[in-house]
Amino acid sequence: MPCVPQIPYIVRPEMEVALLRRIACTVNGVRREAEVEPRQLLVYFLRETLGLTGTNVGCDTSSCGACTVLVDGKSVKSCTMLAVQADGTEIQTIEGLATDGQLHPLQEAFRQHHALQCGYCTPGMVMAGLGLINEGADMSDEAVRLGLEGNLCRCTGYQNIVTAIQDAAGKLRGEQVPAGAGTAGTQGGS
Ligand code: FES
Ligand code: FES
């Protein structure tokens, strides 16, 4: 097979500046403006540009959900979105949940129901759960599990996570926790 010579792609400094795009968005209630490369993923904008490292990168291939944040109230895997697409949006990350030293009711429910373990998947689980609560999703066991299908936990079961989300949904919406909800301390399988 003939050898095809590699042509180096040279980006001159003035080209780099021209390639940058200015974006402005609200992150955890604070307006943020920055120059970003058009190819920069939202997760790296949050972690590296803004220093919000609670949003994790588990796979970079949109499989694990560790990078889940809320964009305009809806849960989004931030490794599947470009930072430039976040221009003009309102973003919420795990850092924005607790206020005045008080855990958000969903974080409190995770604590009470032993729904967290390694801390790697947990921010994504919490944000995905909050997305479900925000959208008024059905809180049956099955529906919550379906809603979390894009979030992987490899070290524990999912039952306590489901229970915590149901419990917080009940408190935030003023509803009863579904009868099928598990109990604190129960380590169920997926
Ligand atoms: S890092 Fe985004 S889904 Fe895994
Ligand atoms: S508690 Fe983090 S991967 Fe399961």
Side-chain angles (χ1 to χ4, degrees):
M1 225 170 125
C3 177
V4 180
Q6 293 286 309
I7 301 171
Y9 178 63
I10 299 168
V11 178
R12 296 190 299 276
E14 65 273 20
M15 286 173 69
E16 277 185 340
V17 171
L19 287 173
L20 292 177
R21 293 269 305 275
R22 183 153 202 88
I23 65 167
C25 50
T26 303
V27 182
N28 299 330
V30 178
R31 183 176 165 83
R32 310 297 295 255
E33 289 185 40
E35 305 272 350
V36 300
E37 287 186 44
R39 64 180 177 174
Q40 187 180 38
L41 294 172
L42 177 58
V43 66
Y44 293 110
F45 171 69
L46 294 171
R47 287 181 59 83
E48 295 173 4
T49 307
L50 302 186
L52 297 171
T53 53
T55 303
N56 291 324
V57 181
C59 65
D60 236 351
T61 57
S62 78
S63 304
C64 73
C67 63
T68 305
V69 298
L70 298 189
V71 177
D72 291 335
K74 294 191 176 141
S75 66
V76 168
K77 290 179 177 177
S78 58
C79 75
T80 65
M81 184 169 170
L82 296 167
V84 290
Q85 293 175 297
D87 188 28
T89 65
E90 194 154 325
I91 298 169
Q92 199 171 12
T93 71
I94 193 73
E95 289 91 345
L97 293 197
T99 47
D100 299 329
Q102 295 289 313
L103 293 178
H104 183 280
L106 183 53
Q107 291 174 305
E108 186 57 37
F110 265 65
R111 191 186 68 77
Q112 279 181 358
H113 293 282
H114 310 291
L116 45 95
Q117 194 159 283
C118 76
Y120 211 85
C121 66
T122 301
M125 291 284 185
V126 170
M127 299 314 289
L130 189 56
L132 291 176
I133 294 171
N134 283 354
E135 72 188 41
D138 176 13
M139 281 292 137
S140 65
D141 263 21
E142 197 182 351
V144 176
R145 283 169 184 272
L146 201 61
L148 291 179
E149 67 179 354
N151 290 73
L152 304 180
C153 167
R154 61 191 172 182
C155 57
T156 181
Y158 289 82
Q159 184 56 58
N160 291 351
I161 294 167
V162 172
T163 302
I165 293 169
Q166 290 170 323
D167 185 13
K171 288 181 177 135
L172 289 165
R173 295 180 186 168
E175 296 169 0
Q176 292 291 311
V177 176
T183 53
T186 307
Q187 290 295 314
S190 61

